[in-house]
Amino acid sequence: MMKLLKMIGGIAICSLIGGGLTYLGIPLALMFGPIIAVIIFHRFGVSFAVPKHTITFVQVTLGTSVGLMFNQVSLNEADNLFLLLLMLVVCLAVQFSFSFFWFYRKVGWTKQEAMLGSVPGAMAAILALTDHTHTPPQKIVISHTIRLIILILLAGIVVGSDGDPQPIIELPVLTLTSTLWLLVIIAVGLGAGLILLRLRVPAPFMLTSLATATLIQSFLDTPLSFPLMLTELSMVLIGMNIGNHFIVFPLSSLIKNIYSSAQVVIINIALTFLITVFASWVTGYDISVLLLAWAPGSMEAMTFAAITMNLDAGFVMSNHIIRMVIIQSIPSIALFWQEKKAKRQG
């Protein structure tokens, strides 16, 4: 009982810190706040544990949220649609290939660490994969966190800091019908996820929730939205999870990994810029929109930047949703076939 109360108290403290930073207008503060809180409290001998099934909860939340958003993408008005999507895939491939080469060849990570650390975005999905493959997540978490911090800082520099404070608590407005459909999506996602879990498919609940939400929403006339408070809670929990990975490293090793990760992110941004220049020249599409749409992560920050700059925010968000669907699915499938191949050879 005391352990449960201590866990709830830790979540409450991290939520309050994240909420305070959110009120100050800091992007993704509900995730960064708990990371900072866990690290600081650890220095004073206080540890914050996370619930046992945190990764499953985050998988269902993330998969359902993205699946419901996927039906809202606004790519129909874009010219050269197929070419833009093809170049998005090429951009993802370049970002991943360079990062993998850097981490594996130059930094000396294992192939598994390099592959998971190189995926451009979807940190919650990658944490689920590290949990499945039993890959030590510390380096991977640092890589993704540094990428996210740099992208948010760049978006903040471009946009400025005149935005209104974000809502800390927003009670869900749900009808009985929408609530029932959301419960159906969650139930089917969990049930199908358990089947994939038995088949040892990585991040199973995220894949099934994503597919279920996308399929059910496509048949409904009324758009569904996942309760914001559950999404915020998942951000707090994933932030606490990341913070607990950070405290494992000694300071010298932490600085070394941060330096290596920052180099990868900066070079990746430069490569993305070159690809968007070429894509803009071929398609005639605004280079600023393409750069925000194809940035290696942080859909929230990039979409906010597009809105503030009066650019096509729908196109930016749509590309990030497609990117998230791709990078949440491909690594899971690749690891599944890799494990299957290893069993055959064994």
Side-chain angles (χ1 to χ4, degrees):
M1 186 65 180
M2 285 300 297
K3 187 177 179 181
L4 177 62
L5 290 175
K6 184 180 177 181
M7 186 182 295
I8 293 173
I11 294 172
I13 291 171
C14 289
S15 299
L16 287 172
I17 293 173
L21 295 176
T22 300
Y23 182 76
L24 296 176
I26 297 174
L28 294 182
L30 284 171
M31 185 176 69
F32 288 127
I35 294 175
I36 296 168
V38 168
I39 294 172
I40 292 175
F41 274 89
H42 176 73
R43 299 297 176 188
F44 292 97
V46 179
S47 60
F48 291 151
V50 294
K52 182 179 178 182
H53 298 290
T54 290
I55 296 298
T56 300
F57 175 74
V58 171
Q59 284 187 55
V60 172
T61 301
L62 183 64
T64 305
S65 300
V66 175
L68 294 177
M69 286 191 296
F70 190 69
N71 291 277
Q72 303 171 20
V73 298
S74 59
L75 292 171
N76 294 330
E77 297 178 2
D79 298 326
N80 302 307
L81 176 59
F82 178 76
L83 186 57
L84 285 170
L85 291 176
L86 180 63
M87 288 192 171
L88 169 61
V89 174
V90 170
C91 189
L92 285 172
V94 169
Q95 291 167 349
F96 174 83
S97 300
F98 171 79
S99 299
F100 179 85
F101 175 82
W102 185 277
F103 286 132
Y104 181 59
R105 293 290 185 184
K106 187 171 178 62
V107 183
W109 289 12
T110 66
K111 283 187 177 180
Q112 206 84 300
E113 288 174 336
M115 186 180 79
L116 294 175
S118 301
V119 176
M123 191 189 316
I126 299 307
L127 277 174
L129 293 176
T130 60
D131 184 62
H132 170 83
T133 58
H134 305 293
T135 305
Q138 287 81 16
K139 297 175 184 176
I140 299 165
V141 165
I142 289 175
S143 168
H144 282 269
T145 304
I146 294 304
R147 174 189 52 77
L148 201 55
I149 290 172
I150 290 175
L151 287 171
I152 289 174
L153 287 175
L154 287 176
I157 291 170
V158 170
V159 170
S161 57
D162 297 328
D164 295 326
Q166 304 170 47
I168 299 174
I169 298 177
E170 185 175 302
L171 296 176
V173 181
L174 296 172
T175 63
L176 179 60
T177 303
S178 62
T179 302
L180 289 174
W181 277 117
L182 285 174
L183 290 174
V184 168
I185 291 171
I186 292 170
V188 173
L190 285 172
L194 287 172
I195 296 172
L196 292 188
L197 184 64
R198 288 183 174 275
L199 297 173
R200 295 190 57 78
V201 175
F205 300 102
M206 183 175 57
L207 295 176
T208 53
S209 298
L210 175 67
T212 304
T214 303
L215 183 64
I216 290 179
Q217 179 68 93
S218 66
F219 287 107
L220 297 178
D221 295 329
T222 305
L224 300 175
S225 58
F226 198 73
L228 179 62
M229 289 184 70
L230 291 180
T231 305
E232 291 173 337
L233 177 59
S234 71
M235 289 181 68
V236 170
L237 292 175
I238 208 71
M240 293 175 67
N241 198 326
I242 292 167
N244 281 317
H245 291 314
F246 263 75
I247 60 179
V248 173
F249 275 100
L251 184 60
S252 59
S253 181
L254 182 63
I255 292 172
K256 179 183 176 182
N257 281 284
I258 288 175
Y259 178 68
S260 300
S261 300
Q263 286 179 312
V264 171
V265 176
I266 292 170
I267 297 174
N268 255 333
I269 291 173
L271 290 172
T272 304
F273 176 75
L274 293 176
I275 294 171
T276 55
V277 169
F278 176 74
S280 178
W281 176 69
V282 171
T283 63
Y285 216 74
D286 189 342
I287 189 172
S288 300
V289 176
L290 292 177
L291 189 58
L292 292 175
W294 295 351
S298 188
M299 177 177 71
E300 297 89 346
M302 297 306 145
T303 304
F304 175 73
I307 293 171
T308 307
M309 296 165 67
N310 293 317
L311 299 174
D312 189 349
F315 179 83
V316 172
M317 187 179 75
S318 300
N319 275 265
H320 277 281
I321 292 172
I322 293 171
R323 177 184 60 80
M324 287 171 68
V325 170
I326 292 172
I327 63 182
Q328 285 175 20
S329 304
I330 298 299
S332 300
I333 296 169
L335 285 173
F336 175 71
W337 285 110
Q338 183 182 355
E339 289 181 0
K340 198 171 180 180
K341 184 179 178 182
K343 283 182 180 179
R344 286 176 180 173
Q345 291 174 348

